C-alpha cells in the first residue's frame, strides 16, 4: 500500500488571505523624526540621559538575571508596589511594555466589530489604528477653535 500524495503546497497569498481584513488593511506604524533633534515630544522621550551611576546599577542587576528562564507572566512585584503607592488594589492595575501594548490589549478586550470608539483629533495615531484593527467604528471629534473639545 502506498502513501497518499503530499498535499499541494500552500501559497503565501493563501496564508495572507486567512488574516482578518482589518489586520490586512492596517499600515505599519512609523514615527518619523529629524536626525539632529534633541527633544522628541512625539515619542515621549526625555532629552536627558540616565546618570552613569544608575546605568551601572542597572547593568549590575542585568547580570544577575537568569536568561535560561522566562520572566514572570505578570509583574506582580511591580503591580504590588504601584498598588501600595496609589492605595489601589493590585488587581486593578494593568502593566504593559509601553502604551502601544496597553492600547492594543484594551482594544482586544473592549473593541469588537462595529464598536463605536470616540477619539479626539488630533491624537496619537496608534489609538485610531487599534480601533480599526479590532474592527471598531472610529468616531473622531475635532477640537474647537479654542483647542477645547465640545463634549
Amino acid at each position: 500500500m502506498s502513501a497518499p500524495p503530499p498535499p499541494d503546497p500552500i501559497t503565501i497569498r493563501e496564508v495572507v488571505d486567512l488574516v482578518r481584513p482589518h489586520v490586512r488593511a492596517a499600515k505599519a506604524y512609523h514615527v518619523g523624526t529629524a536626525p539632529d533633534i534633541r527633544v522628541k515630544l512625539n515619542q515621549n522621550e526625555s532629552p536627558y540621559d540616565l546618570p552613569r551611576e544608575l546605568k551601572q546599577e542597572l547593568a549590575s542587576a542585568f547580570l544577575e538575571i537568569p536568561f535560561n528562564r522566562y520572566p514572570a507572566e505578570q509583574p506582580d512585584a511591580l503591580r504590588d508596589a504601584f498598588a501600595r503607592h496609589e492605595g489601589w488594589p493590585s488587581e486593578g492595575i494593568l502593566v504593559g511594555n509601553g502604551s502601544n501594548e496597553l492600547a492594543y490589549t484594551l482594544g482586544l478586550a473592549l473593541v469588537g466589530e462595529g464598536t463605536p470608539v470616540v477619539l479626539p483629533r488630533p491624537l496619537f495615531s496608534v489609538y485610531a489604528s487599534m480601533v480599526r484593527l479590532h474592527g471598531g467604528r472610529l468616531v473622531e471629534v475635532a477640537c474647537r477653535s479654542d483647542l477645547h473639545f465640545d463634549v
Side-chain angles (χ1 to χ4, degrees), residues 10-113:
I10 189 167
T11 67
I12 294 294
R13 179 80 260 156
E14 290 171 313
V15 172
V16 169
D17 287 344
L18 295 173
V19 175
R20 293 184 304 122
H22 295 100
V23 176
R24 287 195 318 262
K27 304 291 183 238
Y29 175 68
H30 295 286
V31 178
T33 184
D36 296 325
I37 196 158
R38 265 184 41 91
V39 179
K40 295 182 346 183
L41 296 178
N42 65 325
Q43 291 182 289
N44 291 330
E45 291 184 359
S46 172
Y48 308 106
D49 198 359
L50 293 175
R52 184 167 186 76
E53 300 78 32
L54 181 55
K55 286 182 175 183
Q56 289 173 330
E57 186 178 333
L58 288 169
S60 293
F62 184 79
L63 292 172
E64 298 304 316
I65 296 172
F67 279 84
N68 60 324
R69 302 284 183 239
Y70 284 110
E73 288 181 22
Q74 293 297 320
D76 292 328
L78 180 61
R79 288 175 51 207
D80 291 344
F82 282 145
R84 282 191 306 277
H85 185 269
E86 295 298 322
W88 190 264
S90 62
E91 298 82 19
I93 296 176
L94 182 63
V95 176
N97 295 308
S99 61
N100 290 13
E101 180 183 356
L102 292 172
Y104 283 103
T105 299
L106 289 172
L108 183 62
L110 302 172
V111 180
E113 187 67 38

